[in-house]
Amino acid sequence: MPHIRRASRSRAALQCAAVLLLTGCADRAEPADVGIVSTWPAVNYGLARAERVSPPGASRIAAYAAIALYEGWAAFSDSLRTFVGQLNGLTSLPKPEPKRR
């Protein structure tokens, strides 16, 4: 039974991260800072070390963070394909308003 609760919490955490990425967008487009792609994993690693997360837990957190980063980027890209329907439990994500960045 704890496995089921852990899976639903993990799915909820991923969806929450994606929602935060999509809803935190401003009306005007800012230049994309590609440095976040290298900074985000370093911050997650530091968090896992500080919280003394087990290796399986740390890898799961890193995977969810990477997927959330990708999905946030893919929401505004014409060339990136979303993971919705490709990953277990990821059935839908909120979509940004058309022509709003």
Coordinates of all heavy atoms in Angstrom, one line a residue:
M1 N 0.8 -1.2 0.0 CA 0.0 0.0 0.0 C 0.9 1.3 0.0 O 0.5 2.2 -0.7 CB -0.9 0.0 1.2 CG -2.2 0.8 1.0 SD -3.1 0.3 -0.4 CE -4.7 0.4 0.2
P2 N 2.0 1.4 0.7 CA 2.8 2.6 0.7 C 3.3 2.9 -0.7 O 3.5 4.0 -1.0 CB 4.0 2.3 1.7 CG 3.5 1.2 2.5 CD 2.5 0.4 1.7
H3 N 3.5 1.8 -1.5 CA 4.0 2.0 -2.9 C 3.0 2.8 -3.7 O 3.4 3.7 -4.5 CB 4.3 0.7 -3.5 CG 4.7 0.8 -4.9 ND1 5.9 1.4 -5.3 CD2 4.1 0.5 -6.1 CE1 6.0 1.4 -6.6 NE2 4.9 0.9 -7.1
I4 N 1.7 2.6 -3.5 CA 0.7 3.3 -4.2 C 0.7 4.7 -3.8 O 0.6 5.6 -4.7 CB -0.7 2.6 -4.0 CG1 -0.7 1.2 -4.6 CG2 -1.8 3.5 -4.6 CD1 -1.9 0.4 -4.3
R5 N 0.8 5.0 -2.5 CA 0.8 6.4 -2.1 C 2.0 7.1 -2.6 O 1.9 8.3 -3.0 CB 0.7 6.5 -0.6 CG -0.7 6.3 -0.1 CD -0.8 6.4 1.4 NE -0.5 5.1 1.9 CZ -0.2 4.8 3.2 NH1 -0.2 5.8 4.0 NH2 0.1 3.6 3.6
R6 N 3.1 6.5 -2.6 CA 4.4 7.1 -3.1 C 4.3 7.4 -4.5 O 4.7 8.5 -5.0 CB 5.6 6.1 -2.8 CG 6.9 6.8 -3.1 CD 8.1 5.9 -2.8 NE 8.0 5.2 -1.6 CZ 8.3 3.9 -1.4 NH1 8.7 3.2 -2.4 NH2 8.2 3.3 -0.2
A7 N 3.7 6.5 -5.3 CA 3.5 6.8 -6.7 C 2.6 7.9 -7.0 O 2.9 8.8 -7.8 CB 3.0 5.5 -7.5
S8 N 1.5 8.0 -6.2 CA 0.6 9.1 -6.5 C 1.2 10.4 -6.0 O 1.0 11.5 -6.6 CB -0.7 8.9 -5.8 OG -0.6 8.8 -4.4
R9 N 2.0 10.4 -4.9 CA 2.7 11.6 -4.5 C 3.7 12.1 -5.5 O 3.9 13.2 -5.8 CB 3.4 11.4 -3.2 CG 2.5 11.5 -2.0 CD 3.3 11.6 -0.7 NE 4.3 10.5 -0.7 CZ 4.4 9.6 0.3 NH1 3.7 9.8 1.4 NH2 5.3 8.7 0.3
S10 N 4.4 11.1 -6.1 CA 5.4 11.4 -7.1 C 4.8 12.0 -8.4 O 5.3 13.0 -8.9 CB 6.2 10.1 -7.6 OG 6.8 9.6 -6.5
R11 N 3.7 11.5 -8.8 CA 2.9 12.0 -9.9 C 2.4 13.4 -9.6 O 2.5 14.3 -10.4 CB 1.8 11.1 -10.3 CG 1.0 11.5 -11.5 CD -0.1 10.6 -11.8 NE -0.6 9.8 -10.7 CZ -0.8 8.5 -10.6 NH1 -0.8 7.8 -11.7 NH2 -1.2 8.0 -9.5
A12 N 1.9 13.6 -8.4 CA 1.4 14.9 -8.0 C 2.6 15.9 -8.0 O 2.4 17.1 -8.4 CB 0.7 14.9 -6.7
A13 N 3.7 15.5 -7.5 CA 4.9 16.4 -7.5 C 5.3 16.8 -8.9 O 5.6 18.0 -9.1 CB 6.0 15.8 -6.8
L14 N 5.3 15.9 -9.8 CA 5.7 16.2 -11.2 C 4.7 17.1 -11.8 O 5.0 18.1 -12.5 CB 5.8 14.9 -12.0 CG 6.1 15.1 -13.5 CD1 7.4 15.8 -13.7 CD2 6.1 13.7 -14.2
Q15 N 3.4 16.9 -11.6 CA 2.4 17.8 -12.2 C 2.4 19.2 -11.5 O 2.2 20.2 -12.2 CB 1.0 17.1 -12.0 CG 0.8 15.9 -12.9 CD -0.5 15.2 -12.6 OE1 -1.2 15.4 -11.6 NE2 -0.9 14.4 -13.5
C16 N 2.7 19.2 -10.3 CA 2.8 20.5 -9.6 C 4.0 21.3 -10.2 O 3.9 22.5 -10.4 CB 3.0 20.3 -8.1 SG 3.1 21.8 -7.2
A17 N 5.1 20.7 -10.4 CA 6.3 21.3 -10.9 C 6.0 21.9 -12.3 O 6.3 23.0 -12.7 CB 7.5 20.4 -11.0
A18 N 5.3 21.1 -13.1 CA 4.9 21.5 -14.5 C 3.9 22.7 -14.4 O 4.1 23.6 -15.2 CB 4.3 20.3 -15.3
V19 N 3.0 22.6 -13.5 CA 2.0 23.7 -13.4 C 2.8 25.0 -13.0 O 2.5 26.1 -13.6 CB 0.9 23.4 -12.4 CG1 0.1 24.7 -12.0 CG2 0.0 22.3 -12.9
L20 N 3.7 24.9 -12.1 CA 4.5 26.1 -11.7 C 5.3 26.7 -12.8 O 5.4 27.9 -13.0 CB 5.4 25.7 -10.5 CG 4.7 25.5 -9.2 CD1 5.7 25.0 -8.1 CD2 4.0 26.7 -8.7
L21 N 5.9 25.8 -13.6 CA 6.6 26.3 -14.8 C 5.7 27.0 -15.8 O 6.1 28.0 -16.3 CB 7.3 25.1 -15.5 CG 8.6 24.6 -14.8 CD1 9.1 23.3 -15.5 CD2 9.7 25.7 -14.9
L22 N 4.6 26.4 -16.0 CA 3.7 27.0 -17.0 C 2.9 28.3 -16.5 O 2.7 29.2 -17.3 CB 2.6 26.0 -17.5 CG 3.2 24.8 -18.2 CD1 2.1 23.8 -18.5 CD2 3.9 25.3 -19.5
T23 N 2.6 28.3 -15.2 CA 1.9 29.5 -14.7 C 2.8 30.6 -14.3 O 2.3 31.7 -14.1 CB 1.0 29.1 -13.6 OG1 1.8 28.6 -12.5 CG2 -0.1 28.1 -14.0
G24 N 4.0 30.4 -14.2 CA 4.9 31.5 -13.8 C 5.4 32.3 -15.0 O 6.3 33.2 -14.8
C25 N 4.8 32.2 -16.1 CA 5.2 32.9 -17.3 C 4.6 34.3 -17.3 O 3.5 34.5 -16.9 CB 4.8 32.2 -18.6 SG 5.5 30.6 -18.6
A26 N 5.4 35.3 -17.8 CA 4.9 36.7 -17.9 C 4.2 36.9 -19.2 O 4.3 36.1 -20.1 CB 6.1 37.6 -17.7
D27 N 3.6 38.1 -19.3 CA 2.9 38.5 -20.6 C 4.0 38.7 -21.7 O 3.7 38.4 -22.9 CB 2.1 39.7 -20.4 CG 0.8 39.4 -19.7 OD1 0.4 38.2 -19.7 OD2 0.2 40.3 -19.1
R28 N 5.1 39.3 -21.4 CA 6.1 39.6 -22.4 C 7.1 38.5 -22.4 O 7.5 38.0 -21.4 CB 6.7 41.0 -22.3 CG 7.4 41.2 -20.9 CD 7.8 42.6 -20.8 NE 8.2 42.9 -19.4 CZ 9.5 42.7 -19.1 NH1 10.4 42.3 -19.9 NH2 9.9 42.9 -17.8
A29 N 7.6 38.2 -23.6 CA 8.6 37.1 -23.7 C 10.0 37.6 -23.3 O 10.5 38.7 -23.7 CB 8.7 36.6 -25.1
E30 N 10.6 36.9 -22.4 CA 12.0 37.2 -22.0 C 12.9 36.3 -22.7 O 12.5 35.1 -23.0 CB 12.2 37.0 -20.5 CG 11.3 37.9 -19.6 CD 11.9 39.4 -19.6 OE1 13.1 39.5 -19.8 OE2 11.1 40.3 -19.5
P31 N 14.1 36.7 -23.0 CA 15.1 35.7 -23.6 C 15.3 34.5 -22.7 O 15.4 34.6 -21.5 CB 16.4 36.5 -23.8 CG 16.1 37.9 -23.4 CD 14.7 37.9 -22.7
A32 N 15.3 33.3 -23.3 CA 15.5 32.1 -22.5 C 16.9 32.1 -22.0 O 17.9 32.3 -22.7 CB 15.2 30.9 -23.4
D33 N 17.0 31.7 -20.7 CA 18.3 31.6 -20.1 C 18.6 30.1 -20.1 O 18.1 29.3 -19.3 CB 18.2 32.1 -18.6 CG 19.6 31.9 -17.9 OD1 20.6 31.7 -18.6 OD2 19.5 32.1 -16.7
V34 N 19.5 29.7 -21.0 CA 19.8 28.3 -21.1 C 20.7 27.8 -20.0 O 20.9 26.6 -19.8 CB 20.5 28.0 -22.5 CG1 19.5 28.2 -23.6 CG2 21.7 28.8 -22.7
G35 N 21.2 28.7 -19.2 CA 22.0 28.4 -18.0 C 21.3 27.6 -17.0 O 21.8 26.9 -16.2
I36 N 19.9 27.8 -17.0 CA 19.1 27.0 -16.0 C 19.2 25.5 -16.2 O 19.1 24.8 -15.3 CB 17.7 27.5 -16.0 CG1 16.9 27.0 -14.8 CG2 16.9 27.1 -17.3 CD1 15.6 27.6 -14.6
V37 N 19.5 25.2 -17.5 CA 19.6 23.7 -17.8 C 20.7 23.1 -17.0 O 20.6 22.0 -16.6 CB 19.7 23.5 -19.3 CG1 19.9 22.0 -19.6 CG2 18.4 24.0 -20.0
S38 N 21.8 23.8 -16.9 CA 22.9 23.3 -16.1 C 22.8 23.6 -14.6 O 23.4 22.8 -13.8 CB 24.3 23.8 -16.7 OG 24.3 25.2 -16.5
T39 N 22.1 24.6 -14.2 CA 22.0 25.0 -12.8 C 21.0 24.1 -12.1 O 21.3 23.7 -10.9 CB 21.6 26.5 -12.7 OG1 22.5 27.3 -13.4 CG2 21.5 26.9 -11.3
W40 N 19.9 23.8 -12.7 CA 18.9 23.0 -12.1 C 19.4 21.7 -11.5 O 19.1 21.4 -10.3 CB 17.7 22.8 -13.0 CG 16.4 22.3 -12.4 CD1 16.3 21.4 -11.4 CD2 15.1 22.6 -12.8 NE1 15.0 21.2 -11.2 CE2 14.2 21.9 -12.0 CE3 14.6 23.4 -13.8 CZ2 12.9 22.0 -12.2 CZ3 13.2 23.5 -13.9 CH2 12.4 22.8 -13.1
P41 N 20.1 20.9 -12.3 CA 20.5 19.6 -11.7 C 21.5 19.8 -10.5 O 21.5 19.0 -9.6 CB 21.2 18.9 -12.9 CG 20.6 19.5 -14.1 CD 20.3 20.9 -13.7
A42 N 22.3 20.8 -10.6 CA 23.3 21.1 -9.5 C 22.5 21.5 -8.2 O 22.9 21.0 -7.1 CB 24.2 22.2 -9.9
V43 N 21.5 22.2 -8.4 CA 20.6 22.6 -7.2 C 20.0 21.4 -6.6 O 19.9 21.2 -5.4 CB 19.6 23.7 -7.6 CG1 18.6 23.9 -6.5 CG2 20.3 25.0 -7.9
N44 N 19.4 20.5 -7.5 CA 18.8 19.3 -7.0 C 19.8 18.4 -6.3 O 19.4 17.7 -5.3 CB 18.1 18.5 -8.2 CG 16.8 19.2 -8.6 OD1 16.1 19.6 -7.7 ND2 16.6 19.3 -9.9
Y45 N 21.0 18.3 -6.8 CA 22.0 17.5 -6.2 C 22.3 18.0 -4.8 O 22.4 17.3 -3.9 CB 23.3 17.4 -7.1 CG 24.4 16.7 -6.5 CD1 24.4 15.3 -6.3 CD2 25.5 17.3 -6.0 CE1 25.4 14.6 -5.7 CE2 26.6 16.6 -5.4 CZ 26.5 15.3 -5.3 OH 27.5 14.6 -4.7
G46 N 22.5 19.3 -4.7 CA 22.7 19.9 -3.4 C 21.6 19.7 -2.4 O 21.8 19.4 -1.2
L47 N 20.4 19.8 -2.9 CA 19.2 19.5 -2.1 C 19.2 18.0 -1.6 O 19.0 17.8 -0.4 CB 17.9 19.8 -2.8 CG 16.6 19.4 -2.1 CD1 16.5 20.3 -0.9 CD2 15.5 19.6 -3.0
A48 N 19.5 17.1 -2.5 CA 19.5 15.7 -2.1 C 20.6 15.4 -1.0 O 20.4 14.7 -0.1 CB 19.8 14.8 -3.3
R49 N 21.8 16.1 -1.2 CA 22.9 15.9 -0.2 C 22.5 16.5 1.1 O 22.7 15.9 2.2 CB 24.1 16.5 -0.7 CG 24.8 15.7 -1.8 CD 26.2 16.2 -2.1 NE 26.9 16.2 -0.8 CZ 28.2 16.1 -0.7 NH1 28.9 16.0 -1.8 NH2 28.9 16.2 0.4
A50 N 21.9 17.7 1.1 CA 21.5 18.4 2.3 C 20.4 17.7 3.1 O 20.5 17.6 4.3 CB 21.1 19.8 2.0
E51 N 19.5 17.1 2.4 CA 18.4 16.3 3.0 C 18.8 14.9 3.3 O 17.9 14.1 3.8 CB 17.2 16.4 2.1 CG 16.6 17.8 2.0 CD 16.1 18.4 3.4 OE1 15.5 17.6 4.2 OE2 16.3 19.6 3.6
R52 N 19.9 14.5 2.8 CA 20.4 13.1 3.0 C 19.4 12.1 2.4 O 19.0 11.1 3.1 CB 20.7 12.8 4.5 CG 21.8 13.6 5.0 CD 22.1 13.3 6.4 NE 23.2 14.1 6.9 CZ 24.3 13.6 7.4 NH1 24.5 12.3 7.6 NH2 25.2 14.4 7.8
V53 N 19.0 12.3 1.2 CA 18.1 11.5 0.5 C 18.8 10.2 0.0 O 20.0 10.3 -0.4 CB 17.4 12.2 -0.7 CG1 16.5 11.4 -1.5 CG2 16.7 13.5 -0.2
S54 N 18.2 9.1 0.1 CA 18.8 7.9 -0.4 C 19.1 8.0 -1.9 O 18.4 8.7 -2.6 CB 17.9 6.7 -0.1 OG 16.7 6.7 -0.9
P55 N 20.0 7.2 -2.4 CA 20.3 7.2 -3.9 C 19.1 7.0 -4.8 O 18.9 7.7 -5.7 CB 21.4 6.2 -4.1 CG 22.1 6.2 -2.8 CD 21.0 6.4 -1.7
P56 N 18.2 6.0 -4.5 CA 17.0 5.8 -5.3 C 16.1 7.1 -5.2 O 15.6 7.5 -6.3 CB 16.3 4.6 -4.8 CG 17.4 3.8 -4.1 CD 18.3 4.9 -3.5
G57 N 16.0 7.6 -4.1 CA 15.1 8.8 -3.9 C 15.7 10.0 -4.6 O 15.0 10.8 -5.3
A58 N 17.0 10.2 -4.5 CA 17.7 11.3 -5.2 C 17.6 11.2 -6.7 O 17.3 12.2 -7.4 CB 19.1 11.4 -4.8
S59 N 17.7 10.0 -7.2 CA 17.6 9.8 -8.7 C 16.2 10.1 -9.2 O 15.9 10.6 -10.2 CB 18.1 8.4 -9.1 OG 17.2 7.4 -8.6
R60 N 15.2 9.7 -8.3 CA 13.8 9.9 -8.7 C 13.5 11.4 -8.7 O 12.9 12.0 -9.6 CB 12.9 9.2 -7.7 CG 11.4 9.3 -8.0 CD 10.5 8.5 -7.1 NE 10.8 7.0 -7.3 CZ 11.2 6.2 -6.4 NH1 11.4 6.6 -5.2 NH2 11.5 4.9 -6.7
I61 N 14.0 12.1 -7.7 CA 13.8 13.6 -7.6 C 14.5 14.3 -8.8 O 13.9 15.2 -9.5 CB 14.4 14.2 -6.3 CG1 13.6 13.7 -5.1 CG2 14.5 15.7 -6.4 CD1 14.2 14.0 -3.8
A62 N 15.7 13.8 -9.2 CA 16.4 14.4 -10.3 C 15.6 14.1 -11.6 O 15.5 15.0 -12.5 CB 17.8 13.8 -10.4
A63 N 15.0 12.9 -11.8 CA 14.3 12.6 -13.0 C 13.0 13.5 -13.1 O 12.7 14.0 -14.1 CB 13.9 11.1 -13.0
Y64 N 12.3 13.6 -12.0 CA 11.1 14.5 -12.0 C 11.5 15.9 -12.3 O 10.7 16.6 -13.1 CB 10.4 14.4 -10.6 CG 9.7 13.1 -10.4 CD1 9.5 12.6 -9.1 CD2 9.3 12.2 -11.4 CE1 9.0 11.4 -8.8 CE2 8.8 11.0 -11.1 CZ 8.6 10.6 -9.8 OH 8.0 9.4 -9.6
A65 N 12.6 16.4 -11.7 CA 13.0 17.8 -12.0 C 13.3 18.0 -13.5 O 13.0 19.0 -14.1 CB 14.1 18.2 -11.1
A66 N 14.0 17.0 -14.1 CA 14.4 17.1 -15.5 C 13.2 17.0 -16.4 O 13.1 17.8 -17.4 CB 15.4 15.9 -15.8
I67 N 12.2 16.2 -16.0 CA 11.0 16.1 -16.8 C 10.2 17.4 -16.7 O 9.7 17.9 -17.7 CB 10.2 14.9 -16.4 CG1 10.9 13.6 -16.8 CG2 8.8 14.9 -17.0 CD1 10.3 12.3 -16.2
A68 N 10.1 18.0 -15.5 CA 9.4 19.2 -15.4 C 10.1 20.3 -16.2 O 9.4 21.1 -16.8 CB 9.3 19.6 -13.9
L69 N 11.4 20.4 -16.1 CA 12.2 21.4 -16.9 C 11.9 21.2 -18.4 O 11.6 22.2 -19.1 CB 13.7 21.3 -16.7 CG 14.6 22.2 -17.5 CD1 14.3 23.6 -17.1 CD2 16.0 21.8 -17.2
Y70 N 12.0 20.0 -18.9 CA 11.7 19.7 -20.3 C 10.3 20.1 -20.7 O 10.1 20.7 -21.7 CB 12.0 18.2 -20.6 CG 11.7 17.8 -22.0 CD1 12.6 18.0 -23.0 CD2 10.4 17.3 -22.4 CE1 12.3 17.7 -24.3 CE2 10.1 17.0 -23.7 CZ 11.1 17.2 -24.7 OH 10.8 16.8 -26.0
E71 N 9.3 19.7 -19.9 CA 7.9 20.0 -20.2 C 7.7 21.5 -20.2 O 6.9 21.9 -21.1 CB 7.0 19.3 -19.2 CG 6.9 17.8 -19.4 CD 6.3 17.4 -20.7 OE1 5.4 18.1 -21.3 OE2 6.6 16.3 -21.2
G72 N 8.3 22.2 -19.3 CA 8.1 23.6 -19.3 C 8.7 24.3 -20.6 O 8.1 25.2 -21.2
W73 N 9.8 23.7 -21.1 CA 10.4 24.2 -22.3 C 9.6 23.8 -23.5 O 9.4 24.5 -24.4 CB 11.8 23.7 -22.4 CG 12.8 24.6 -23.1 CD1 12.9 24.7 -24.5 CD2 13.8 25.4 -22.6 NE1 13.8 25.6 -24.8 CE2 14.4 26.0 -23.6 CE3 14.2 25.6 -21.3 CZ2 15.5 26.9 -23.4 CZ3 15.3 26.5 -21.1 CH2 15.9 27.2 -22.2
A74 N 9.1 22.5 -23.5 CA 8.4 22.0 -24.6 C 7.0 22.7 -24.8 O 6.5 22.7 -25.9 CB 8.2 20.5 -24.4
A75 N 6.5 23.3 -23.7 CA 5.2 23.9 -23.8 C 5.2 25.1 -24.8 O 4.2 25.5 -25.4 CB 4.7 24.4 -22.5
F76 N 6.4 25.7 -25.0 CA 6.5 26.9 -25.8 C 7.4 26.6 -27.1 O 7.7 27.5 -27.8 CB 7.2 28.0 -25.1 CG 6.3 28.5 -23.9 CD1 6.5 28.1 -22.6 CD2 5.2 29.3 -24.2 CE1 5.7 28.5 -21.6 CE2 4.3 29.7 -23.2 CZ 4.6 29.3 -21.9
S77 N 7.7 25.3 -27.3 CA 8.5 25.0 -28.5 C 7.7 24.3 -29.6 O 6.8 23.5 -29.2 CB 9.7 24.1 -28.0 OG 10.4 23.6 -29.1
D78 N 8.0 24.6 -30.8 CA 7.3 23.9 -31.9 C 8.0 22.5 -32.2 O 7.4 21.7 -32.8 CB 7.3 24.7 -33.1 CG 6.5 26.0 -32.9 OD1 5.5 25.9 -32.2 OD2 6.8 27.0 -33.5
S79 N 9.3 22.4 -31.8 CA 10.0 21.2 -32.2 C 10.1 20.1 -31.1 O 10.4 19.0 -31.4 CB 11.4 21.6 -32.6 OG 12.1 22.2 -31.5
L80 N 9.8 20.5 -29.8 CA 9.9 19.5 -28.7 C 8.6 18.8 -28.5 O 7.5 19.4 -28.5 CB 10.4 20.2 -27.4 CG 11.7 20.8 -27.4 CD1 12.0 21.5 -26.1 CD2 12.8 19.8 -27.7
R81 N 8.7 17.5 -28.3 CA 7.5 16.7 -28.1 C 7.3 16.4 -26.7 O 8.2 16.0 -26.0 CB 7.6 15.4 -28.9 CG 6.4 14.5 -28.9 CD 6.6 13.3 -29.8 NE 5.5 12.4 -29.6 CZ 5.7 11.1 -29.7 NH1 6.8 10.6 -30.0 NH2 4.7 10.3 -29.5
T82 N 6.1 16.5 -26.2 CA 5.8 16.3 -24.7 C 5.8 14.9 -24.4 O 5.7 14.0 -25.2 CB 4.4 16.9 -24.4 OG1 4.2 16.8 -23.0 CG2 3.3 16.3 -25.2
F83 N 6.0 14.6 -23.1 CA 6.0 13.2 -22.6 C 4.6 12.7 -22.2 O 4.5 11.6 -21.7 CB 7.0 13.1 -21.4 CG 8.4 13.2 -21.7 CD1 9.3 14.0 -21.1 CD2 8.9 12.3 -22.7 CE1 10.6 14.1 -21.4 CE2 10.3 12.4 -23.0 CZ 11.1 13.3 -22.3
V84 N 3.6 13.6 -22.3 CA 2.3 13.2 -21.9 C 1.9 12.0 -22.8 O 2.0 12.0 -24.0 CB 1.3 14.3 -22.2 CG1 -0.2 13.9 -22.0 CG2 1.6 15.5 -21.2
G85 N 1.4 10.9 -22.1 CA 1.0 9.7 -22.7 C 2.2 8.7 -23.0 O 2.0 7.6 -23.3
Q86 N 3.4 9.2 -22.8 CA 4.6 8.4 -23.0 C 5.1 7.8 -21.6 O 5.8 6.8 -21.6 CB 5.7 9.1 -23.7 CG 5.3 9.6 -25.1 CD 6.4 10.3 -25.8 OE1 7.5 9.7 -25.9 NE2 6.2 11.5 -26.2
L87 N 4.9 8.6 -20.6 CA 5.3 8.2 -19.2 C 4.2 7.7 -18.4 O 3.1 8.2 -18.5 CB 6.0 9.3 -18.5 CG 7.3 9.9 -19.1 CD1 7.8 11.1 -18.3 CD2 8.4 8.8 -19.2
N88 N 4.4 6.6 -17.6 CA 3.3 6.1 -16.8 C 2.8 7.1 -15.8 O 3.6 7.8 -15.1 CB 3.8 4.9 -16.0 CG 4.1 3.7 -16.8 OD1 3.6 3.6 -18.0 ND2 5.0 2.8 -16.4
G89 N 1.5 7.3 -15.8 CA 0.9 8.3 -14.9 C 0.9 9.7 -15.4 O 0.2 10.5 -14.7
L90 N 1.5 10.1 -16.4 CA 1.5 11.4 -16.9 C 0.5 11.5 -18.1 O 0.8 11.3 -19.2 CB 2.9 11.8 -17.5 CG 3.1 13.3 -17.8 CD1 2.8 14.2 -16.7 CD2 4.5 13.6 -18.4
T91 N -0.8 11.8 -17.7 CA -1.9 11.7 -18.6 C -2.2 13.1 -19.2 O -2.7 13.2 -20.3 CB -3.1 11.1 -18.0 OG1 -3.4 11.9 -16.8 CG2 -2.9 9.7 -17.6
S92 N -1.9 14.2 -18.4 CA -2.2 15.5 -19.0 C -1.4 16.5 -18.2 O -1.0 16.3 -17.1 CB -3.7 15.8 -18.9 OG -4.1 15.9 -17.5
L93 N -1.2 17.7 -18.9 CA -0.6 18.8 -18.3 C -1.3 20.1 -18.7 O -1.9 20.1 -19.8 CB 0.9 18.9 -18.7 CG 1.8 17.9 -18.2 CD1 3.2 18.0 -18.9 CD2 2.0 18.0 -16.7
P94 N -1.3 21.1 -17.9 CA -2.0 22.3 -18.3 C -1.3 22.9 -19.5 O 0.0 22.8 -19.6 CB -1.9 23.3 -17.1 CG -0.8 22.7 -16.3 CD -0.7 21.2 -16.6
K95 N -2.0 23.5 -20.4 CA -1.4 24.2 -21.6 C -1.4 25.7 -21.4 O -2.4 26.2 -20.9 CB -2.2 23.8 -22.8 CG -2.1 22.3 -23.1 CD -2.8 22.0 -24.5 CE -2.8 20.6 -24.9 NZ -2.2 19.6 -24.1
P96 N -0.4 26.3 -21.9 CA -0.4 27.8 -21.8 C -1.4 28.4 -22.7 O -1.8 27.8 -23.7 CB 1.1 28.2 -22.2 CG 1.5 27.0 -23.0 CD 0.8 25.8 -22.5
E97 N -1.8 29.6 -22.4 CA -2.7 30.3 -23.3 C -2.1 30.6 -24.6 O -0.9 30.9 -24.7 CB -3.2 31.6 -22.6 CG -4.0 31.4 -21.3 CD -4.3 32.7 -20.7 OE1 -4.3 33.8 -21.4 OE2 -4.5 32.7 -19.5
P98 N -2.8 30.5 -25.7 CA -2.2 30.8 -27.0 C -1.7 32.2 -27.1 O -2.3 33.1 -26.6 CB -3.4 30.6 -28.0 CG -4.4 29.8 -27.2 CD -4.2 30.1 -25.8
K99 N -0.6 32.4 -27.8 CA 0.1 33.6 -28.0 C 0.4 34.4 -26.8 O 0.7 35.6 -26.8 CB -0.8 34.5 -28.9 CG -1.1 34.0 -30.3 CD -1.9 34.9 -31.1 CE -2.2 34.3 -32.4 NZ -3.0 35.1 -33.3
R100 N 0.5 33.7 -25.6 CA 1.0 34.3 -24.4 C 2.3 33.6 -24.0 O 2.3 32.4 -23.9 CB -0.1 34.1 -23.3 CG 0.3 34.9 -22.1 CD -0.8 34.9 -21.1 NE -0.4 35.6 -19.9 CZ -1.0 35.6 -18.8 NH1 -2.2 35.0 -18.7 NH2 -0.5 36.2 -17.7
R101 N 3.3 34.3 -23.6 CA 4.6 33.7 -23.3 C 4.9 34.0 -21.8 O 4.5 35.0 -21.3 CB 5.7 34.3 -24.1 CG 5.3 34.1 -25.6 CD 6.2 33.6 -26.5 NE 7.4 32.9 -26.2 CZ 7.7 31.7 -26.7 NH1 6.8 31.0 -27.4 NH2 8.8 31.1 -26.4

